[in-house]
Amino acid sequence: MNDGGQSQRRYGPLGRALVIIPTYNEAENIGPIVSRVRASAPDADILIADDNSPDGTGKIADELSADDTHVHVLHRKGKEGLGAAYLAGFRWGMDHGYGVLVEMDADGSHQPEELPRLLTALKGADLVLGSRWVPGGRVVNWPRSRQFLSRGGSTYSRLLLGVPIRDVTGGYRAFRRETLEGLGLTDVASQGYCFQVDLARRAVASGFHVVEVPITFVEREHGDSKMSRDIVVEALWRVTAWGVSARAGRLLGRGNP
């Protein structure tokens, strides 16, 4: 947990919550995940950000939206990566007056039933992370290789960047609108899991109060994982570059970039 010196300040009301769910070829998953979100957080709205999925996910999303005024769809031109989808979703949500923006995977790995705990924690924080690697957190149906990669990536990022977060790469998150406005999102270019590291380091560097709450991460049952060698390589070189830059800045008496 990082409090940035702000754990004692008073927080205003959260406002309306928007759950952003990026999709690419999630036709089997999008209906069930939307139903679970609606049941778990009935006051929250949902934005499905679809990257022109060839399997018809966008059409299913439109049908869900037509049947439920709490469900909205953002059709994007093509597959541009997780980071770009979330940034577009953040912009849409802030343009439409939402006070809370939530990141959630479409494949069920982020359990909607745990969303109320994240929103409750956000009442006293700027950013809440659903964490697999704090006491009480766990993963289900992951091979040891994936656990090693995730734990190793978080540990490497935490140590190199000086970020006091146990699950730096996790993607189940709830932001206050003001937090996102303070992160300087216009120059975010990272994608994949690196995008999550980027936002976490920006939040800590900006002095925001970051809280981790334990979650149970469940491996997807349908569809293909979006993890790839390119995503891992991007994360490795970007985190290394950020770490080297930050250390050089401290040696020269400058703040974090």
Side-chain angles (χ1 to χ4, degrees), residues 94-178:
M94 289 189 284
D95 286 346
H96 287 78
Y98 290 91
V100 175
L101 293 306
V102 177
E103 297 181 6
M104 182 184 290
D105 285 352
D107 59 15
S109 56
H110 299 151
Q111 298 189 86
E113 294 75 17
E114 297 182 315
L115 178 57
R117 290 199 290 113
L118 271 68
L119 296 178
T120 296
L122 193 62
K123 292 179 181 179
D126 298 299
L127 165 60
V128 174
L129 311 180
S131 179
R132 298 159 291 186
W133 310 128
V134 296
R138 66 191 185 105
V139 297
V140 176
N141 296 332
W142 254 16
R144 289 186 180 274
S145 58
R146 283 293 301 275
Q147 293 191 45
F148 176 80
L149 181 62
S150 179
R151 281 185 180 271
S154 282
T155 299
Y156 181 76
S157 300
R158 182 174 71 252
L159 295 177
L160 192 62
L161 300 176
V163 176
I165 297 172
R166 304 297 297 181
D167 194 349
V168 188
T169 63
Y172 196 4
R173 303 180 169 193
F175 296 84
R176 283 180 177 266
R177 175 197 183 98
E178 298 82 4

Side-chain angles (χ1 to χ4, degrees), residues 24-255:
Y24 185 78
N25 288 349
E26 298 287 359
E28 292 180 283
N29 294 317
I30 190 59
I33 200 68
V34 165
S35 295
R36 291 171 64 188
V37 173
R38 294 289 293 118
S40 301
D43 292 332
D45 284 358
I46 298 168
L47 176 67
I48 303 167
D50 185 65
D51 279 5
N52 196 23
S53 300
D55 72 343
T57 301
K59 181 176 183 296
I60 296 172
D62 286 336
E63 293 169 353
L64 293 169
S65 179
D67 290 337
D68 188 341
T69 58
H70 284 270
V71 180
H72 309 276
V73 184
L74 177 62
H75 290 284
R76 291 162 42 75
K77 294 182 178 180
K79 188 177 181 182
E80 298 179 354
L82 183 71
Y86 272 130
L87 290 174
F90 292 156
R91 287 192 295 270
W92 190 97
M94 289 189 284
D95 286 346
H96 287 78
Y98 290 91
V100 175
L101 293 306
V102 177
E103 297 181 6
M104 182 184 290
D105 285 352
D107 59 15
S109 56
H110 299 151
Q111 298 189 86
E113 294 75 17
E114 297 182 315
L115 178 57
R117 290 199 290 113
L118 271 68
L119 296 178
T120 296
L122 193 62
K123 292 179 181 179
D126 298 299
L127 165 60
V128 174
L129 311 180
S131 179
R132 298 159 291 186
W133 310 128
V134 296
R138 66 191 185 105
V139 297
V140 176
N141 296 332
W142 254 16
R144 289 186 180 274
S145 58
R146 283 293 301 275
Q147 293 191 45
F148 176 80
L149 181 62
S150 179
R151 281 185 180 271
S154 282
T155 299
Y156 181 76
S157 300
R158 182 174 71 252
L159 295 177
L160 192 62
L161 300 176
V163 176
I165 297 172
R166 304 297 297 181
D167 194 349
V168 188
T169 63
Y172 196 4
R173 303 180 169 193
F175 296 84
R176 283 180 177 266
R177 175 197 183 98
E178 298 82 4
T179 305
L180 287 172
E181 291 173 338
L183 294 186
L185 298 180
T186 55
D187 64 346
V188 172
S190 49
Q191 297 296 327
Y193 295 96
C194 190
F195 173 78
Q196 309 297 4
V197 178
D198 195 357
L199 295 198
R201 76 180 183 99
R202 288 169 184 255
V204 171
S206 299
F208 287 116
H209 179 34
V210 182
V211 171
E212 293 184 87
V213 298
I215 62 166
T216 297
F217 182 97
V218 182
E219 176 67 335
R220 68 162 61 230
E221 294 183 0
H222 304 289
D224 297 323
S225 171
K226 306 303 188 292
M227 172 65 76
S228 69
R229 181 178 178 275
D230 289 345
I231 288 174
V232 175
V233 170
E234 183 209 16
L236 180 61
W237 79 259
R238 283 191 183 272
V239 169
T240 301
W242 291 331
V244 170
S245 177
R247 289 171 186 269
R250 287 194 291 269
L251 287 174
L252 297 174
R254 299 195 302 266

